[in-house]
Amino acid sequence: MKALCSQFILLWMQQGQSFVQVLQNEGAKSLYRGLTPALMRSVLYGGLHLGLYEPSKYVCDLAFESNNILMKIAFFGALATALTNPSEVLKVRLQMNQNSSRGPIEE
């Protein structure tokens, strides 16, 4: 337990140092790189979760003849993830683009 606690503290300190280093080297604006696609992905993913839940219940009942709630959750979660994957790829690429001179809104 003591070793796990010390590893956690070390990881926390490394993250803090990385945060400070990014602020010093790239400025506060760089912390918001990829904000637009991240928000877009979150809105799409959340909306799909809400919107696909009811229809996926019926699809699971018809296709799998199952009333298992875990199967229904897995089904619409997988569908929402598959539909929002392109925005996830876009988000990661924009966040990794260090040559971008545009702000978070122009991405």
Side-chain angles (χ1 to χ4, degrees), residues 2-89:
K2 189 174 182 180
L4 180 64
C5 186
S6 64
Q7 288 176 347
F8 176 75
I9 291 171
L10 181 63
L11 178 65
W12 184 76
M13 289 175 58
Q14 289 173 344
Q15 289 176 343
Q17 290 169 351
S18 296
F19 179 78
V20 170
Q21 185 178 13
V22 167
L23 279 177
Q24 289 174 344
N25 295 339
E26 301 176 32
K29 188 177 177 182
S30 67
L31 294 174
Y32 294 97
R33 186 178 293 130
L35 178 64
T36 302
L39 291 175
M40 179 185 70
R41 189 244 183 229
S42 294
V43 168
L44 286 173
Y45 191 73
L48 285 171
H49 260 272
L50 291 173
L52 290 176
Y53 179 70
E54 285 294 324
S56 70
K57 285 189 341 186
Y58 298 114
V59 169
C60 282
D61 288 342
L62 293 174
F64 306 117
E65 298 177 358
S66 173
N67 288 328
N68 186 348
I69 189 71
L70 293 177
M71 181 179 282
K72 293 174 185 178
I73 291 170
F75 178 75
F76 78 81
L79 185 59
T81 300
L83 292 173
T84 58
N85 189 55
S87 64
E88 182 70 20
V89 171

Side-chain angles (χ1 to χ4, degrees), residues 88-100:
E88 182 70 20
V89 171
L90 175 65
K91 176 186 76 115
V92 170
R93 287 187 181 176
L94 284 172
Q95 287 174 334
M96 297 302 294
N97 185 8
Q98 296 183 5
N99 296 329
S100 176

